[in-house]
């Protein structure tokens, strides 16, 4: 990284330890953390106002809407500032920040993205480009070696009730084909271990992806178990061998009084 021009390099350890070191360093310096893949080739914004958005009736119309938008190439800093501004704009209770975790659309399919609203508050935040407010106490689970971005998204939804994904911000990365990094560590055993951790920690949320093979998952926070504020029961996955942490505590009520405590009031 120094040879490539970086003026300040801090070694943080493994994947999640390095990610957490960046968040902690940002907190120490009073800054917002921006974490990205080291092989980004392009960052682009196809800005579209949230107000008045209507879902296109078909994919052809979604593609046409994407083509009609001006595409802005931007730097990582510019994209991070764009996301941080959107994160602060998410509706929230007085005295709270809108969202503490923000990110880009998880692929570069513009038509697919324009089939969704400009912003999503309960969907997966891909780890290729993250903006993290270190004011949140949440950190990456350092017992996870892959798919750590899925877990961090679930943590933020559990504790804060929202994230911020811009479905108009696109990052082009080579993380499935480049040499080195987490990609070099991918194999079936590691993939299945981390999928097992996700299913153990977040019952109901993670299912095998229907089209991308056994080592990929699909996240749906609306399918979370009753324990985490969902609408139906879901079985917790078996704890994977070698994983030591206890299941995360539910923050579903977020300080709200329960029905029993309501009737118990005098």
């Amino acid at each position: 990284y120094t040879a490539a021009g970086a003026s300040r390099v801090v070694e943080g350890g493994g994947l999640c330890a390095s990610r957490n070191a960046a968040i902690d360093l940002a907190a120490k310096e009073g800054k917002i953390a921006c974490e990205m893949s080291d092989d980004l080739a392009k960052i682009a914004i196809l800005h579209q106002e949230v107000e008045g958005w209507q879902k296109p009736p078909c994919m052809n119309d979604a593609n046409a809407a994407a083509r009609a938008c001006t595409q802005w190439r931007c730097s990582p800093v510019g994209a991070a500032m764009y996301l941080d501004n959107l994160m602060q704009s998410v509706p929230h209770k007085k005295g709270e920040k809108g969202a503490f975790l923000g990110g880009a659309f998880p692929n570069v399919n513009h038509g697919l993205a324009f089939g969704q609203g400009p912003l999503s508050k309960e969907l997966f935040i891909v780890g290729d480009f993250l903006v993290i407010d270190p004011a949140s106490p949440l950190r990456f689970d350092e017992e996870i070696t892959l798919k750590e971005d899925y877990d961090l998204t679930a943590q933020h939804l559990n504790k804060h009730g929202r994230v911020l994904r811009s479905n108009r911000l696109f990052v082009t990365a080579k993380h499935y084909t480049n040499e080195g990094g987490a990609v070099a560590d991918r194999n079936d055993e590691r993939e299945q271990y981390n999928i097992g951790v996700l299913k153990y920690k977040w019952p109901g949320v993670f299912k095998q992806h229907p089209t991308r093979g056994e080592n990929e998952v699909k996240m749906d926070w609306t399918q979370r178990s009753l324990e985490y504020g969902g609408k139906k029961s879901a079985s917790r996955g078996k704890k994977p061998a070698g994983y030591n942490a206890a299941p995360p505590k539910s923050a579903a009520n977020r300080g709200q009084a329960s029905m029993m405590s309501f009737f118990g009031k005098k």
Side-chain angles (χ1 to χ4, degrees):
Y1 291 113
T2 302
S7 60
R8 184 183 180 190
V9 178
V10 178
E11 293 188 23
L15 174 64
C16 288
S18 294
R19 284 191 178 278
N20 287 335
I23 301 172
D24 293 339
L25 183 60
K28 183 179 179 180
E29 298 186 0
K31 298 177 180 178
I32 299 295
C34 177
E35 302 189 359
M36 70 195 81
S37 295
D38 62 3
D39 61 344
L40 295 186
K42 177 182 176 181
I43 304 176
I45 298 171
L46 277 69
H47 184 72
Q48 186 182 46
E49 295 296 334
V50 177
E51 187 174 352
W53 178 82
Q54 292 183 337
K55 184 176 178 63
C58 65
M59 183 60 73
N60 285 339
D61 287 352
N63 281 314
R67 289 193 296 269
C69 281
T70 301
Q71 183 173 147
W72 297 329
R73 294 285 294 270
C74 61
S75 68
V77 172
M81 293 174 67
Y82 175 77
L83 278 175
D84 185 45
N85 182 65
L86 291 175
M87 288 161 62
Q88 296 183 50
S89 72
V90 175
H92 55 282
K93 294 179 181 179
K94 186 176 180 180
E96 295 182 0
K97 180 168 179 169
F100 293 86
L101 174 66
F105 195 70
N107 58 56
V108 292
N109 187 326
H110 295 170
L112 187 63
F114 273 70
Q116 302 179 27
L119 305 178
S120 295
K121 292 175 282 187
E122 284 194 343
L123 297 183
F124 169 52
I125 306 295
V126 67
D128 287 322
F129 195 87
L130 301 173
V131 173
I132 304 167
D133 186 337
S136 170
L138 300 176
R139 297 294 184 265
F140 287 93
D141 184 342
E142 295 188 16
E143 291 193 56
I144 290 179
T145 58
L146 297 169
K147 295 180 168 49
E148 74 286 352
D149 43 3
Y150 284 102
D151 178 67
L152 189 69
T153 302
Q155 287 190 57
H156 276 258
L157 290 172
N158 178 47
K159 183 171 180 61
H160 301 301
R162 55 195 173 271
V163 295
L164 187 287
R165 190 176 85 184
S166 171
N167 296 322
R168 304 296 180 264
L169 175 64
F170 303 91
V171 296
T172 303
K174 302 174 183 178
H175 55 279
Y176 278 116
T177 58
N178 68 317
E179 295 181 0
V183 177
D185 290 333
R186 289 186 182 277
N187 57 49
D188 289 347
E189 183 179 358
R190 285 179 178 268
E191 295 282 7
Q192 290 302 311
Y193 165 80
N194 289 288
I195 289 172
V197 171
L198 292 175
K199 292 182 176 181
Y200 168 69
K201 293 182 71 173
W202 309 107
V205 175
F206 293 97
K207 301 288 194 304
Q208 183 175 329
H209 198 283
T211 61
R212 295 178 58 187
E214 64 180 8
N215 288 336
E216 297 291 343
V217 293
K218 184 175 183 180
M219 178 179 184
D220 187 348
W221 186 248
T222 66
Q223 298 301 303
R224 64 193 183 278
S225 66
L226 291 169
E227 179 182 357
Y228 293 96
K231 297 181 179 180
K232 59 183 181 181
S233 61
S235 299
R236 187 180 299 280
K238 182 180 178 181
K239 189 173 185 176
Y243 185 77
N244 298 307
K249 294 182 180 180
S250 172
N253 291 327
R254 295 187 189 86
Q256 300 174 15
S258 67
M259 186 67 72
M260 293 300 293
S261 64
F262 174 81
F263 284 110
K265 292 181 179 179
K266 295 182 180 180

